[in-house]
Amino acid sequence: MNARHGTRLVAQMTAEDRARLVAALDHDVRQPRHSLEMGLRTLRLVTADLMARRFDDTTFDSLVQRLVVETASVQAASRQLTDAQQDLFDALRIEFDELLLRPRIISAGDLVERICRSNRAMAGHVELRGASSRLTFFSDEGWVERVLGNLVTNALRHSRATKVLIGARRCAGDIVFEVRDNGRGLSPGRLADVFQAIKAPQGLPGDSSTVRSGLGLCNVRLLAERLGGSVQCASAPGRGTRFRVRLPGPLGTSEPRLPVPRGTTAQAVRNK
């Protein structure tokens, strides 16, 4: 694979930018960590009430509902911390040129299905849907999944969408993945720096305490370039956002899955 070696993260940044990135990363991690601490504290209190057994049916139902809500909150915060940690490790691998690429033939349909399945819990009430595809392509499966998975989680967390769709298509000998949402969209200013490593706070100019690291989307751009491809973003306020990841061929198509006749599996077991 002839991967283009894109510009590294830190090489593009001034000393001041690097200091701001570290502060932004600290802010990104501090918020879910606080949510974890508060959620676990509430879970301990609810558990203590349940163990005391001093409640009627109405109180019991209320306690169970609090358990459900706080458990979901803890799970979300834990996933956010894990993703932030992974973004940082990916950035370090890119920075030190430690990306070990293991290209192989990949089924685009299987990849899309797996990404949807791994993000189903996070999606909640958002419709997360992947389009079926018989395309196959040659790349590093783990890094491609990291790129597309990052775009999906970004849409679920930040777009305020009700639908997030992911699919693949052929384009002039390359494969193009698209991640679309019908969320709030991005202003022209936001769109211009969507792949930058530091994001300014919305509506709070000059307030560096709420600056976010855009490390995830910055990694998406750098990883796509290292894989020999590119990534583009199109968006407008109120019209949703579309990310398009283009990766080089060669392309192929997998054989369609044949439906298994009803009762075939049971008959095969009996015949053993």
Side-chain angles (χ1 to χ4, degrees):
M1 171 178 294
N2 296 319
R4 293 201 307 268
H5 290 274
T7 310
R8 295 180 184 176
L9 173 66
V10 174
Q12 305 174 71
M13 303 174 70
T14 65
E16 182 180 355
D17 285 337
R18 290 196 290 270
R20 290 177 63 214
L21 177 60
V22 172
L25 284 168
D26 178 62
H27 177 270
D28 284 354
V29 171
R30 198 182 317 124
Q31 187 274 326
R33 188 176 62 201
H34 177 71
S35 296
L36 270 177
E37 292 170 353
M38 295 301 295
L40 290 172
R41 176 179 177 274
T42 301
L43 287 174
R44 286 194 297 269
L45 293 173
V46 173
T47 301
D49 287 342
L50 287 171
M51 292 178 67
R53 300 178 185 276
R54 294 191 297 269
F55 46 77
D56 53 26
D57 289 345
T58 302
T59 305
F60 177 79
D61 291 343
S62 175
L63 290 173
V64 170
Q65 184 59 34
R66 286 180 65 192
L67 276 176
V68 171
V69 171
E70 291 302 329
T71 300
S73 173
V74 167
Q75 287 177 326
S78 177
R79 171 69 186 268
Q80 196 170 346
L81 275 176
T82 301
D83 288 348
Q85 181 188 52
Q86 190 61 64
D87 286 343
L88 181 56
F89 287 159
D90 288 350
L92 289 173
R93 290 187 179 101
I94 294 168
E95 191 61 35
F96 295 119
D97 204 15
E98 293 295 332
L99 292 183
L100 180 59
L101 299 180
R102 297 186 177 90
R104 58 185 292 271
I105 296 175
I106 306 168
S107 165
D110 290 348
L111 182 62
V112 167
E113 182 180 343
R114 187 163 63 250
I115 290 170
C116 288
R117 188 167 57 245
S118 65
N119 287 284
R120 197 74 66 191
M122 179 190 293
H125 298 297
V126 177
E127 179 186 348
L128 174 59
R129 183 161 52 87
S132 61
S133 174
R134 290 177 52 204
L135 287 175
T136 61
F137 64 106
F138 191 71
S139 191
D140 184 290
E141 188 167 15
W143 289 116
V144 176
E145 184 170 353
R146 193 73 52 77
V147 167
L148 298 176
N150 205 316
L151 293 176
V152 169
T153 57
N154 181 77
L156 293 174
R157 283 203 177 107
H158 304 300
S159 70
R160 299 181 187 173
T162 59
K163 294 182 180 179
V164 176
L165 310 177
I166 176 172
R169 61 182 175 84
R170 186 191 301 267
C171 182
D174 294 339
I175 187 168
V176 174
F177 289 92
E178 288 191 352
V179 177
R180 295 171 173 260
D181 68 65
N182 65 345
R184 56 183 172 171
L186 301 171
S187 66
R190 286 281 177 183
L191 184 60
D193 70 352
V194 70
F195 294 114
Q196 297 303 312
I198 303 175
K199 301 290 190 297
Q202 280 189 324
L204 295 171
D207 183 4
S208 60
S209 66
T210 57
V211 171
R212 291 192 303 107
S213 77
L215 206 53
L217 289 180
C218 182
N219 286 345
V220 163
R221 176 177 62 83
L222 295 175
L223 286 171
E225 291 174 356
R226 295 298 177 93
L227 292 167
S230 62
V231 59
Q232 296 175 322
C233 180
S235 185
R239 296 193 175 186
T241 302
R242 181 196 68 210
F243 285 94
R244 180 176 290 169
V245 179
R246 184 166 185 157
L247 298 173
L251 298 184
T253 54
S254 59
E255 292 297 323
R257 296 178 182 176
L258 297 177
V260 179
R262 185 175 298 178
T264 301
T265 304
Q267 184 64 43
V269 171
R270 286 196 295 270
N271 290 341
K272 282 189 175 181

